[in-house]
């Protein structure tokens, strides 16, 4: 939503100029031609008229219905800050529409003692003006896929955490196990991986399903990747520690293999540190 409003603010002069030209190009008998106007211009969500006493004088007409229930209602609270320009037109600041939940603008034109109000879908308007790239069908398909994928990842994570808990409680009630050290580390690794995968699923669900933006910021992707890598490195570090202990207790001649594993984990940790350092430097340059 923020990207839509920022795109509008960046091109506010051009967008407002287009809206004024567009409104002036419409036939003056707006309400009689409302269905045709709404059909030809998808960015108009609804329209209605308000008289000079700020009482609603026409039905609220949208693409799906005509609502006459609010005729006669006082609309003066919407017109407190109304300041018409030389063309008797007023364009509001962006807001979230109470009916559609979309980023919107209101355009008001004063004609023959009637204030005609047009509620504009800001997303569709900017898309039609080629100021943003947005495809509602593609967005719905992508959200559905991300929803299904993140949900399945969450189930996998819960299964891993449950398995780790199962192993741990089994050890508590059966301390005579032949390989206590191996089982306790397996429990820790299983729960750590489960938490890592769950955190990844949560990040995907929040950013791609609930709060999808129109512009994919690299910073967001880096945060998701970074948090996942941290969890994986923690799990690998625990696995390395387990291998070192097992080799030390069983066969010290295999310690070289454990050393290689330790070196590999260390390289990943150093790589992650370099990754974060590079991202911070890039972010600082962009801010400058």
């Amino acid at each position: 939503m923020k990207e839509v409003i920022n795109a509008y603010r960046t091109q506010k002069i051009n967008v407002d100029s287009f809206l004024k030209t567009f409104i002036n190009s419409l036939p003056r008998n707006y309400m009689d031609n409302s269905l045709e106007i709404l059909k030809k211009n998808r960015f108009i969500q609804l329209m209605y008229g308000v008289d000079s006493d700020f009482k609603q004088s026409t039905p609220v007409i949208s693409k799906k219905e005509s609502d006459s229930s609010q005729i006669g209602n006082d609309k003066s609270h919407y017109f407190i800050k109304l300041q018409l320009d030389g063309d008797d037109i007023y364009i509001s600041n962006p807001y979230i529409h109470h009916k559609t939940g979309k980023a919107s603008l209101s355009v008001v034109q004063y004609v023959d003692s009637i204030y005609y109000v047009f509620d504009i879908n800001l997303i569709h308007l900017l898309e039609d003006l080629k100021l943003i790239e947005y495809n509602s069908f593609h967005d719905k398909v992508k959200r559905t896929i991300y929803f299904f994928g993140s949900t399945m990842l969450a189930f996998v994570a819960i299964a891993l955490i449950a398995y780790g808990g199962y192993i741990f409680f089994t050890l508590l009630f059966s301390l005579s196990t032949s390989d206590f050290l191996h089982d306790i580390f397996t429990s820790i690794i299983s729960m750590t991986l489960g938490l890592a995968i769950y955190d990844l699923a949560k990040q995907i669900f929040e950013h791609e399903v609930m709060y999808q933006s129109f512009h994919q910021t690299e910073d967001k992707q880096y945060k998701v990747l970074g948090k996942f890598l941290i969890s994986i490195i923690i799990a690998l570090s625990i696995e390395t520690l387990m291998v070192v202990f097992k080799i030390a207790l069983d066969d010290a001649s295999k310690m070289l293999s454990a050393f290689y594993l330790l070196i590999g984990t260390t390289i990943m940790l150093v790589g992650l540190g370099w990754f974060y350092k590079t991202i911070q430097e890039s972010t600082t340059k962009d801010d400058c």
Side-chain angles (χ1 to χ4, degrees):
M1 198 66 67
K2 183 170 68 174
E3 290 89 347
V4 177
I5 295 176
N6 287 338
Y8 166 72
R9 288 175 176 169
T10 301
Q11 299 289 335
K12 177 177 171 58
I13 295 176
N14 295 327
V15 175
D16 288 358
S17 177
F18 167 80
L19 286 173
K20 291 178 182 179
T21 303
F22 168 75
I23 295 298
N24 285 323
S25 69
L26 295 176
R28 289 301 181 183
N29 49 342
Y30 296 130
M31 305 314 297
D32 293 338
N33 295 278
S34 58
L35 295 179
E36 182 180 356
I37 293 173
L38 290 169
K39 183 178 180 180
K40 289 183 177 180
N41 305 282
R42 64 171 188 151
F43 54 82
I44 301 180
Q45 301 176 112
L46 54 86
M47 50 192 296
Y48 60 93
V50 176
D51 63 25
S52 57
D53 294 324
F54 304 122
K55 304 289 185 180
Q56 185 170 323
S57 58
T58 71
V60 176
I61 301 177
S62 65
K63 291 180 173 63
K64 295 182 179 180
E65 61 180 358
S66 176
D67 182 9
S68 302
S69 62
Q70 299 184 40
I71 292 179
N73 285 0
D74 183 16
K75 298 290 184 179
S76 59
H77 53 287
Y78 290 123
F79 291 81
I80 293 176
K81 297 182 179 180
L82 181 69
Q83 292 182 349
L84 299 173
D85 62 11
D87 297 321
D88 288 333
I89 292 177
Y90 167 78
I91 300 176
S92 73
N93 291 320
Y95 63 91
I96 304 300
H97 200 277
H98 68 284
K99 286 188 175 181
T100 64
K102 303 293 185 181
S104 305
L105 294 173
S106 285
V107 180
V108 180
Q109 184 171 39
Y110 187 63
V111 179
D112 297 332
S113 301
I114 298 293
Y115 294 95
Y116 291 99
V117 182
F118 302 85
D119 284 353
I120 306 297
N121 184 314
L122 190 55
I123 296 174
H124 288 165
L125 175 63
L126 295 178
E127 184 185 6
D128 289 349
L129 295 177
K130 308 301 181 184
L131 297 177
I132 62 171
E133 294 181 2
Y134 178 70
N135 183 287
S136 58
F137 176 75
H138 176 263
D139 183 65
K140 289 178 181 178
V141 171
K142 186 167 62 174
R143 284 174 184 261
T144 301
I145 293 173
Y146 274 121
F147 173 78
F148 179 76
S150 59
T151 301
M152 295 307 298
L153 279 175
F155 282 132
V156 171
I158 293 171
L160 283 170
I161 294 173
Y163 177 70
Y166 168 77
I167 294 176
F168 175 73
F169 285 110
T170 300
L171 288 175
L172 289 181
F173 295 103
S174 180
L175 296 178
S176 60
T177 180
S178 59
D179 200 346
F180 177 84
L181 190 63
H182 176 271
D183 289 344
I184 196 67
F185 274 110
T186 300
S187 174
I188 294 172
I189 291 169
S190 178
M191 288 187 284
T192 302
L193 284 175
L195 289 173
I197 295 173
Y198 180 80
D199 188 66
L200 176 63
K202 180 176 72 70
Q203 293 287 331
I204 292 174
F205 185 82
E206 288 180 352
H207 291 94
E208 303 295 343
V209 179
M210 294 184 65
Y211 308 116
Q212 174 66 37
S213 63
F214 297 99
H215 303 288
Q216 295 291 334
T217 59
E218 293 183 354
D219 181 65
K220 181 187 73 175
Q221 298 174 3
Y222 292 150
K223 287 180 180 178
V224 175
L225 178 60
K227 292 185 70 173
F228 182 69
L229 286 177
I230 288 173
S231 299
I232 294 300
I233 289 174
I234 291 174
L236 283 175
S237 300
I238 296 172
E239 179 72 22
T240 301
L241 186 63
M242 182 186 73
V243 170
V244 170
F245 284 161
K246 284 182 64 66
I247 290 177
L249 294 174
D250 296 338
D251 187 359
S253 63
K254 297 180 180 179
M255 188 61 72
L256 187 60
S257 299
F259 176 73
Y260 289 148
L261 182 60
L262 182 61
I263 290 296
T265 305
T266 303
I267 291 174
M268 287 191 65
L269 184 60
V270 172
L272 181 64
W274 179 83
F275 172 78
Y276 269 111
K277 181 176 182 296
T278 304
I279 298 308
Q280 289 177 353
E281 290 177 352
S282 176
T283 303
T284 302
K285 290 179 180 179
D286 292 340
D287 292 338
C288 294

